[in-house]
Amino acid sequence: MTKRLHWPPSAWLLVFLVLPTALLPARGLSPAGARLLSEGSTWMLLGRSFAVAAVSTLLCLLAAYPVAWFIANSSPRWRNVLLLLVVLPFWSNLLVRTYALMVVLRPLGLLYTPGAVILGLVHSFLPFMVLPLYASIEKLPKRLLEAAQDLGASPAQVFWKVALPLTLPGVGAGCLLVFIPILGIFALPEFLGGARLPLVGGQISVLFKQDAGSPGGSALTLILMALTLVLTGAYYRLRKTEGLA
């Protein structure tokens, strides 16, 4: 009986995930796909997308770490309330939040600018950075921090030499959870940036709208998939070699 229950989800994954993914190499590595990858504008687009994702991820990290630290060191009663506030944006649709940002940014003259795109990305993906950091900070052995203070370390030294190294797994996990989705996102940058900041996700969307079997769209998708696998593999290898697991 249990084996029979496995068939519906397995068939669903096979038809709607495995087979479409298997078709990508055949189309992406075709002459048309290779021609697109040989163009300099394609690599400029990828470089711009990578830079936007990196800046947005860094800003999320800088904003999320103090928030996660504050929540982890709050009383249990307030901790649950603060965590609820962190995940509260997920209760509304991304497009609704994006339209709300457009209403705020338009009178300020910031709409359709690179800054608006980065602000929207940080606003949308900040919870994905806060939660892994909180989980890592909450497990910090407080005795180590107190021991470092007793040995004469300043608060800055305690943070940089004790707390931060011990929370690197949360930092790495948060950066992966933020960087990878931002690298391929297309709706939010189009709404907030318009045509002034084209990114690879938007270009993939355009190519597949023009042709459902687009070789160029398949080639760009393959690059994003390969980059995702490389980053994920590097993170897990780093955890093992440095004992961060």
Side-chain angles (χ1 to χ4, degrees):
M1 182 66 180
T2 304
K3 293 183 178 180
R4 292 180 180 179
L5 293 177
H6 290 167
W7 278 108
S10 300
W12 179 276
L13 291 175
L14 177 64
V15 173
F16 294 103
L17 178 63
V18 176
L19 291 181
T21 303
L23 293 175
L24 286 176
R27 294 171 177 172
L29 300 178
S30 64
R35 191 181 313 114
L36 178 70
L37 295 181
S38 65
E39 297 177 359
S41 58
T42 300
W43 294 102
M44 289 180 60
L45 183 70
L46 288 168
R48 186 187 305 116
S49 302
F50 192 93
V52 169
V55 171
S56 302
T57 302
L58 178 60
L59 292 177
C60 281
L61 176 61
L62 295 177
Y65 206 104
V67 174
W69 186 277
F70 178 78
I71 296 175
N73 289 280
S74 300
S75 63
R77 176 185 176 185
W78 286 104
R79 191 178 302 169
N80 294 331
V81 174
L82 294 173
L83 287 174
L84 176 64
L85 293 176
V86 170
V87 301
L88 192 61
F90 293 134
W91 293 10
S92 61
N93 188 272
L94 175 62
L95 290 179
V96 174
R97 286 179 276 140
T98 302
Y99 277 117
L101 273 178
M102 294 175 66
V103 172
V104 173
L105 295 175
R106 182 176 283 110
L108 300 176
L110 298 177
L111 193 60
Y112 305 128
T113 64
V117 174
I118 292 176
L119 176 63
L121 292 171
V122 173
H123 174 267
S124 298
F125 287 91
L126 188 60
F128 292 100
M129 184 69 76
V130 172
L131 295 177
L133 287 175
Y134 162 77
S136 188
I137 294 172
E138 196 269 337
K139 296 177 182 178
L140 273 177
K142 301 300 188 293
R143 292 182 179 180
L144 288 181
L145 304 181
E146 295 172 355
Q149 292 176 348
D150 293 340
L151 292 173
S154 65
Q157 290 174 328
V158 172
F159 174 75
W160 288 106
K161 296 184 178 181
V162 181
L164 183 60
L166 291 175
T167 57
L168 284 181
V171 173
C175 289
L176 276 181
L177 289 174
V178 172
F179 182 86
I180 291 175
I182 288 180
L183 192 60
I185 196 170
F186 68 94
L188 191 149
E190 288 187 0
F191 280 110
L192 297 179
R196 296 187 180 183
L197 192 68
L199 300 178
V200 65
Q203 183 63 23
I204 292 175
S205 175
V206 170
L207 290 173
F208 277 120
K209 285 179 180 178
Q210 295 174 350
D211 178 10
S214 171
S218 301
L220 292 176
T221 303
L222 283 175
I223 291 180
L224 293 185
M225 291 175 60
L227 185 58
T228 298
L229 292 175
V230 169
L231 291 175
T232 305
Y235 169 68
Y236 281 106
R237 185 173 182 179
L238 180 66
R239 288 186 59 159
K240 292 180 179 179
T241 57
E242 295 192 3
L244 297 178

